[in-house]
Amino acid sequence: MRSLASRSLSRLNKWSVPLTLLGVVLLSYGIFIPWYGLFGNDLPYLYHYHLFGPQGPAGFAAVDRPYSAWVYTLTTFLFGENVWLYHLLLLLERWTASLLLFEIIDLTLPGKRWQAAGIAILFALYPGFRQQPVAVEFILHFTILNLFFLSIWWMLLAARGGRRRGWLLSGSGLLALSLFSIEYFAGLELLRPLLLWFALEKVIPDRKVRLKQTLICWTPALVALGVFVFWRVLIFKFPTYQPVILDHLGRDPLAAIPGFVKQVASDLVTVLPLAWYSTLKPVVGGLYRWMAFILAAVVFLWVSGWLVFSSRVEPAPKLAGTYASPGWGVRALLLGAAALILGGAPFWVTGIQIRLEFPWDRPTLPFMLGSSLVIIGLVDILRWRPLQQAVIALLAGLAVYSHAQNAVVYHNEWEKFRQFFWQLTWRAPGLQNGTLVLFDSIPLDRYADTDLTTALNWVYAPDLHERQLRYKFFDLSIRLGEEYVGLPGLTEGLRVEHHHRSLEFVGSTSQMLVVDFTPPACLRILAKDTIGTGNITEKLESVLPLSKPDLMDTHPGQAARPPEAFGREPAHEWCYYYQKAELARQQADWKEVIRLATIVETMGYAPVSTIEWLPFIEGFVRLGDWQKAGEISQLAAAKAKPDVCTFWARYFMDPSRTDADKQAIAKIQKDAGCRP
């Protein structure tokens, strides 16, 4: 009976590792998938599919990663424009990568199964990388990471011998060629001999024989690495980021070396202690923070319970200070330190900055392995099992706390993105071809203007299937300087050309439209004579004379509408009726403006920015309802008095105003507190 019970517990313990990893991944990332959409480069990748089908993303990737196209060709062929499927795939890849890592550690450093699982847990939950919501883009990274781990796993299995040794080594070498798809994990390839050396330690005690077997098992992957380096350095070279460290060393090695060492040390502090320390910082408040805390508590209890169960199935050594595998913690630390240095090498050579803020947390991906190994290595040295387990569970809980808050940040960003484009289409049902839309410092932090450009064309030219774009976004914070290609000047008739990877845009400074978006206020289309531009940026103000609202087509054959990939249309609240009122105002449809004002009043909607009352005020004026115009003016003047006064001053000076009109206006000005 004991033997049967022991086998049952052992079998349960075997399945408990993948189930525990799946559970923490689901709680950390999976439950938030309904909140997510498309962020950053997700948009260009999926838009290229929309333009040209599964082969489309190859054009976007060809500039710097020509052999990554197969990943997007396959995934877009399977998933199309169903955004949630990409999130599910990335979630699955996160889980399988952690599971493969567990198997690798269990082969390399045997004897401490629950510590190996602890490495996999912290790897899966690493808090330095926070772009899990950017699913389409990072499917590439996690696909190659999985192939890299699978290659290592097969290599380690081959090192143990057996009939499949040749097949496993051949497969390991072939999978190592995945480096051609993305270079992020190229440095970690050099970790293989150390993994083999530790994995063969018990099997082959003789160091000379072990060294020979290590080299034999490493050879296929080493050949693949050599071919990749030859291609990357001498053939494909460096189309984007350059090996700046070589240039610095060539010019002034005495100055470059201390600076390089300082940068390495600073980045290691960033990816290890600072990444985990950042989990303590609250990002959101209120109910969302409580939600994150509850999830963290659930994961803490879950991981604690699993660790206790697993350690009982795997009894602790009876003699204090002994190890199931002597020096396990030290070996984990050595592997971790090597993984950190090797993982960062590609970024240090090219001078890519490594930070914990978007978008520069991307380079932390290769550091996930080293960080997890170092932490569990230190935990193992603590020796007292309850403390070891408490530290692992606490770190897992803190990571989930951080990721849950990060999910809220991305959710809010997606909602702002959706509001931006829905409000734009409510206000401008059509745009003339060649329109260049300008903005400055809009609060869409997970999108560059090139990302938003693809969205703009997807919305306003859904049937476009060519590389010549019809519309373009320019972010004035970078397009009015000399660092990036942008506006050639601020005069009429200048040719504007902008090419981003495989897409091209040609326009003119005579076809520009200026927008401002500062939520919770509504999106506004601005021009030189627009009232209420006192709070806009200097760059935005400088281009107002060139803004042409008549570029908006108010009666298109088919009104623009965001695609299904952007989610359902938001509820029709204040901003919807404001945009429709501005559209009706542009069409001089004053009855429609009044109809919308009646709905707003009935529903009890009111603006955050009281300047948004102006189209309704004008509607009542145009139809001669001075009393209602005065009542709304008093509401608006409570927070936007200068703008309301400017509005009425213009009306008073209009030569078409009768004496009766001027008397009504004077009374409204007085009631609103305006100087006559």
Side-chain angles (χ1 to χ4, degrees):
M1 291 292 292
R2 287 184 179 179
S3 177
L4 180 61
S6 177
R7 287 198 300 270
S8 298
L9 284 175
S10 179
R11 194 178 302 114
L12 181 60
N13 187 42
K14 179 181 179 180
W15 284 102
S16 69
V17 174
L19 290 175
T20 297
L21 288 171
L22 180 60
V24 297
V25 166
L26 284 173
L27 288 173
S28 189
Y29 314 109
I31 63 174
F32 300 109
I33 286 177
W35 282 8
Y36 296 151
L38 298 168
F39 304 94
N41 281 339
D42 287 355
L43 284 162
Y45 275 120
L46 209 54
Y47 183 61
H48 276 73
Y49 165 78
H50 176 80
L51 287 176
F52 309 115
Q55 299 300 324
F60 181 72
V63 174
D64 50 4
R65 293 180 183 131
Y67 296 110
S68 67
W70 68 272
V71 175
Y72 294 108
T73 298
L74 179 60
T75 53
T76 55
F77 173 77
L78 293 173
F79 302 154
E81 297 176 11
N82 296 302
V83 176
W84 64 276
L85 289 175
Y86 295 93
H87 287 285
L88 283 179
L89 176 59
L90 187 59
L91 185 76
L92 177 64
E93 290 185 328
R94 191 95 176 200
W95 174 59
T96 54
S98 62
L99 194 54
L100 284 168
L101 177 59
F102 166 75
E103 296 293 345
I104 290 169
I105 300 301
D106 200 35
L107 287 172
T108 306
L109 301 175
K112 292 197 173 182
R113 187 176 174 84
W114 66 265
Q115 282 97 325
I119 292 172
I121 289 171
L122 297 190
F123 172 86
L125 301 178
Y126 177 69
F129 176 74
R130 300 182 183 180
Q131 294 193 50
Q132 181 75 16
V134 191
V136 180
E137 178 178 359
F138 285 99
I139 279 173
L140 169 65
H141 300 67
F142 277 89
T143 296
I144 303 310
L145 179 60
N146 273 270
L147 294 178
F148 170 64
F149 280 165
L150 185 59
S151 173
I152 290 178
W153 187 40
W154 283 358
M155 178 190 72
L156 294 174
L157 289 175
R160 303 174 72 176
R163 290 180 298 176
R164 296 180 298 169
R165 175 185 173 92
W167 289 105
L168 288 170
L169 282 178
S170 299
S172 176
L174 287 173
L175 290 178
L177 291 172
S178 61
L179 281 174
F180 280 82
S181 296
I182 191 170
E183 68 289 344
Y184 265 52
F185 311 106
L188 290 175
E189 278 289 335
L190 296 175
L191 193 64
R192 288 178 185 261
L194 191 57
L195 292 169
L196 283 165
W197 184 261
F198 286 153
L200 293 170
E201 184 176 15
K202 285 189 175 181
V203 181
I204 309 176
D206 186 284
R207 294 189 175 184
K208 290 184 178 179
V209 179
R210 195 194 320 165
L211 178 60
K212 180 181 178 180
Q213 287 300 313
T214 296
L215 292 175
I216 290 173
C217 293
W218 184 30
T219 296
L222 182 60
V223 170
L225 178 61
V227 172
F228 167 75
V229 172
F230 178 82
W231 169 79
R232 193 67 172 80
V233 175
L234 298 179
I235 299 176
F236 191 61
K237 299 183 179 179
F238 299 89
T240 49
Y241 297 103
Q242 303 297 314
V244 294
I245 184 61
L246 300 180
D247 182 52
H248 294 165
L249 287 172
R251 284 185 298 169
D252 190 354
L254 293 179
I257 292 174
F260 178 75
V261 172
K262 183 179 178 181
Q263 185 62 53
V264 169
S266 174
D267 288 341
L268 291 177
V269 170
T270 297
V271 300
L272 191 51
L274 289 183
W276 285 94
Y277 175 74
S278 68
T279 62
L280 300 173
K281 299 178 180 179
V283 178
V284 297
L287 291 176
Y288 287 127
R289 189 184 299 179
W290 278 106
M291 174 201 67
F293 179 79
I294 291 170
L295 281 174
V298 169
V299 169
F300 172 80
L301 294 173
W302 185 342
V303 173
S304 297
W306 176 80
L307 288 171
V308 170
F309 162 77
S310 182
S311 61
R312 287 184 178 178
V313 176
E314 176 196 328
K318 293 181 180 180
L319 298 176
T322 63
Y323 291 80
S325 174
W328 193 98
V330 174
R331 284 169 170 77
L333 279 172
L334 287 173
L335 276 175
L340 287 172
I341 297 299
L342 295 173
F347 305 100
W348 293 322
V349 168
T350 51
I352 295 175
Q353 57 180 314
I354 301 170
R355 290 161 47 187
L356 299 179
E357 299 83 23
F358 181 92
W360 299 110
D361 56 332
R362 289 178 297 180
T364 65
L365 271 172
F367 294 97
M368 293 163 61
L369 174 59
S371 171
S372 307
L373 280 162
V374 167
I375 291 173
I376 299 300
L378 292 172
V379 166
D380 186 75
I381 293 173
L382 295 174
R383 302 199 180 188
W384 187 37
R385 180 165 290 181
L387 180 58
Q388 293 173 328
Q389 295 169 345
V391 170
I392 294 173
L394 180 62
L395 289 175
L398 287 173
V400 171
Y401 178 72
S402 175
H403 287 304
Q405 294 189 83
N406 185 56
V408 176
V409 172
Y410 272 88
H411 172 62
N412 291 340
E413 182 83 355
W414 178 237
E415 289 304 309
K416 285 188 290 186
F417 171 90
R418 290 183 352 97
Q419 280 288 336
F420 179 82
F421 279 98
W422 277 104
Q423 288 190 43
L424 186 60
T425 56
W426 292 335
R427 174 64 182 89
L431 288 176
Q432 293 183 23
N433 289 347
T435 298
L436 175 60
V437 184
L438 308 177
F439 63 81
D440 185 29
S441 301
I442 64 172
L444 293 173
D445 302 323
R446 268 64 180 173
Y447 306 91
D449 60 1
T450 49
D451 304 324
L452 295 174
T453 290
T454 59
L456 184 67
N457 284 271
W458 199 347
V459 169
Y460 282 94
D463 298 324
L464 181 70
H465 297 288
E466 58 188 50
R467 301 196 182 279
Q468 189 73 40
L469 297 176
R470 295 181 183 174
Y471 312 103
K472 187 71 181 178
F473 267 124
F474 266 2
D475 181 350
L476 294 175
S477 64
I478 60 174
R479 302 299 178 187
L480 272 182
E482 298 179 356
E483 184 178 358
Y484 296 95
V485 175
L487 293 178
L490 297 180
T491 56
E492 292 274 0
L494 299 179
R495 183 180 174 88
V496 177
E497 291 189 37
H498 192 264
H499 309 316
H500 180 60
R501 294 183 179 258
S502 63
L503 301 179
E504 303 174 353
F505 172 81
V506 177
S508 165
T509 54
S510 297
Q511 288 182 280
M512 300 197 303
L513 189 67
V514 176
V515 301
D516 185 39
F517 184 54
T518 54
C522 304
L523 178 143
R524 299 183 70 204
I525 305 295
L526 304 181
K528 184 178 181 180
D529 60 349
T530 301
I531 297 174
T533 60
N535 294 325
I536 65 173
T537 66
E538 291 184 7
K539 289 183 176 180
L540 209 58
E541 187 174 8
S542 67
V543 295
L544 285 185
L546 297 173
S547 182
K548 295 180 172 58
D550 57 2
L551 291 170
M552 295 183 287
D553 186 351
T554 59
H555 293 92
Q558 183 176 356
R561 181 180 178 85
E564 290 185 8
F566 291 13
R568 292 181 298 178
E569 185 172 6
H572 291 179
E573 298 178 341
W574 169 264
C575 283
Y576 171 82
Y577 293 105
Y578 167 73
Q579 302 298 353
K580 290 302 183 182
E582 284 283 28
L583 176 60
R585 180 191 197 183
Q586 183 178 357
Q587 298 169 327
D589 187 351
W590 305 113
K591 290 184 178 180
E592 175 65 8
V593 173
I594 299 305
R595 188 188 73 82
L596 294 167
T598 303
I599 295 175
V600 166
E601 186 176 18
T602 302
M603 300 297 293
Y605 296 139
V608 172
S609 173
T610 55
I611 191 66
E612 293 164 12
W613 282 116
L614 289 184
F616 299 103
I617 294 173
E618 185 171 3
F620 284 110
V621 171
R622 293 285 187 172
L623 294 183
D625 192 340
W626 296 98
Q627 180 179 351
K628 195 65 177 179
E631 292 174 0
I632 299 177
S633 294
Q634 290 184 54
L635 286 174
K639 293 183 179 179
K641 182 177 176 180
D643 299 318
V644 172
C645 293
T646 299
F647 172 85
W648 285 114
R650 287 187 183 179
Y651 256 89
F652 190 88
M653 299 301 294
D654 187 342
S656 66
R657 298 295 105 199
T658 65
D659 290 340
D661 290 344
K662 290 184 177 181
Q663 289 179 4
I665 292 172
K667 182 180 185 305
I668 292 173
Q669 288 176 311
K670 180 179 178 182
D671 293 341
C674 302
R675 293 182 179 179

